[in-house]
Amino acid sequence: MVAGLMANSLALISDAGHNLTDALALAFSWWALRIARRAPNHRKTYGYHRAGILAATINAVTLILISIYIFYEGVQRFMQPPEVQGWTVLSVACIALIINLTVAWLLHHDSKDDLNTRSAYLHIVGDAAASVGVIIAGLIEIVIGWRYADPLISMLIGLFILVSSWTIIKEATNILLEGIPDGLDMTSLVRDLMKQPNVEDVHDLHVWTIGRDYKVLSCHLIVQCECSLQDANRTVHDINHMLEEQYHIHHATLQIESESCELNQIFCANPNARN
C-alpha cells in the first residue's frame, strides 16, 4: 500500500487492498474451520459445519465491494491518468507474486473439497493474477510510458475478482437454501432407489448439504406388502451402502411404508400430507 501511494499506482493500491482483505479472509477461514470441528450438541444437532459456508459468503461479499471500488477509481483515472513510477510498481509486484503463488500452492489441495478453503484459495489466486497484471502495467509504464495501462489493468483485476466471487456466493447460497448438491442428478438417484429389491415407489425425497461435502438425504420408500421386517431392514442397509458408494451420501434417513403417498408424487408438494 505504501509503495502504491509512493508510485501513484492504482493497480498497486488495489492489489494491496486485495491482499489486506485476503489476510483477513485467511484468518476468518481458519476460525471457521476451527468452529466447524466442534462436536454436535443439544442446540446444534448437526454441529457447526455451516460456519465455513458463512465465512465463504462473507469473504466473497468483501471481494465484490473491493471490485466496485476498483472500478470506480479506474474510471476516475481514465479521465485524468496520473504519472506512475513503473520501477517501483514492477519490483513490489514481483515480490507479491512470489508470496501469493506460495500460499496458493499450500491451499490448492484442500480447496477441492471445502467451500470455505476454496474461497480463501480464490482470494490468493486473485492476488496472484492481480500481481501479474500489476507487473504488466509496470512494464508498459517503463517501456512506452502509456499512462492508461495502470487503470486498465486495475479494472481487469476487478473484473476477475468479481467473477470468482460470484461463483462462491452462488454455491454458498445454494447450500444455505438447502438446494440439491452440485453435480447430483436427482433422476438417476430416484432410478437407483427404485432398482433396489422390494422397493415399489419413492416419495418425499430431499437431498441437501450441511457443509464440507456433508450430504444428507431423507425419503419415504414404499415396499412390497409381503416384505418382512427382516427384508425391509436388508433393503435399507443396501440402499445406505449404495448411497455412500455412488453418491457420497453418508447420512440418510429412510422411512419404510407399505402404502403410497396421498399426493402420489416423488417430491411431495405438501410436507404435512399424511403418508
Side-chain angles (χ1 to χ4, degrees):
M1 179 66 74
V2 172
L5 293 172
M6 291 176 59
N8 202 20
S9 169
L10 176 61
L12 206 54
I13 292 173
S14 62
D15 193 22
H18 192 201
N19 273 276
L20 177 61
T21 59
D22 285 349
L24 297 175
L26 287 171
F28 193 38
S29 296
W30 171 81
W31 172 82
L33 286 171
R34 297 269 297 182
I35 294 296
R37 292 193 183 104
R38 290 183 179 179
N41 54 51
H42 67 283
R43 298 188 63 184
K44 301 288 188 298
T45 56
Y46 276 118
Y48 294 82
H49 297 281
R50 289 270 171 96
I53 307 303
L54 292 174
T57 304
I58 294 173
N59 285 341
V61 170
T62 59
L63 283 174
I64 289 177
L65 294 176
I66 291 171
S67 300
I68 294 173
Y69 168 75
I70 292 173
F71 282 126
Y72 172 78
E73 286 293 331
V75 171
Q76 299 298 315
R77 294 210 172 198
F78 259 115
M79 296 178 180
Q80 294 181 338
E83 183 178 352
V84 177
Q85 298 178 17
W87 283 110
T88 302
V89 173
L90 181 63
S91 58
V92 175
C94 287
I95 296 172
L97 178 61
I98 295 172
I99 296 173
N100 288 325
L101 289 177
T102 302
V103 178
W105 176 74
L106 292 172
L107 290 175
H108 176 69
H109 178 73
D110 290 336
S111 68
K112 299 176 182 179
D113 302 320
D114 181 61
L115 183 62
N116 178 33
T117 307
R118 185 154 71 253
S119 70
Y121 172 72
L122 285 177
H123 268 273
I124 301 302
V125 170
D127 277 345
S131 297
V132 172
V134 176
I135 291 172
I136 294 173
L139 287 172
I140 293 175
E141 185 70 28
I142 293 171
V143 176
I144 62 177
W146 191 51
R147 296 186 180 182
Y148 291 99
D150 188 77
L152 177 61
I153 293 297
S154 300
M155 296 180 74
L156 290 175
I157 293 171
L159 181 62
F160 175 83
I161 295 171
L162 195 63
V163 172
S164 62
S165 302
W166 176 249
T167 59
I168 292 292
I169 288 181
K170 183 179 178 181
E171 186 174 350
T173 301
N174 183 61
I175 292 175
L176 293 175
L177 292 177
E178 299 189 343
I180 296 172
D182 289 341
L184 191 146
D185 187 345
M186 291 294 284
T187 302
S188 297
L189 176 59
V190 172
R191 183 169 56 247
D192 289 335
L193 289 171
M194 293 289 292
K195 288 179 180 178
Q196 301 302 311
N198 303 315
V199 175
E200 292 187 341
D201 194 12
V202 179
H203 64 261
D204 205 13
L205 173 62
H206 305 281
V207 186
W208 66 101
T209 303
I210 301 298
R212 193 177 174 83
D213 201 29
Y214 184 3
K215 299 175 185 176
V216 180
L217 176 146
S218 69
C219 73
H220 296 186
L221 300 173
I222 306 299
V223 298
Q224 298 172 358
C225 294
E226 63 274 13
C227 179
S228 65
L229 181 59
Q230 184 178 4
D231 291 335
N233 287 334
R234 187 180 299 109
T235 297
V236 170
H237 178 271
D238 292 341
I239 290 176
N240 278 319
H241 180 72
M242 180 272 294
L243 292 173
E244 290 182 6
E245 292 293 322
Q246 296 182 216
Y247 296 94
H248 306 290
I249 298 175
H250 302 283
H251 188 103
T253 302
L254 307 174
Q255 180 173 323
I256 301 297
E257 300 172 352
S258 59
E259 296 178 356
S260 62
C261 178
E262 289 183 359
L263 295 174
N264 194 27
Q265 297 177 351
I266 291 177
F267 308 101
C268 288
N270 180 9
N272 297 317
R274 296 178 61 189
N275 299 297

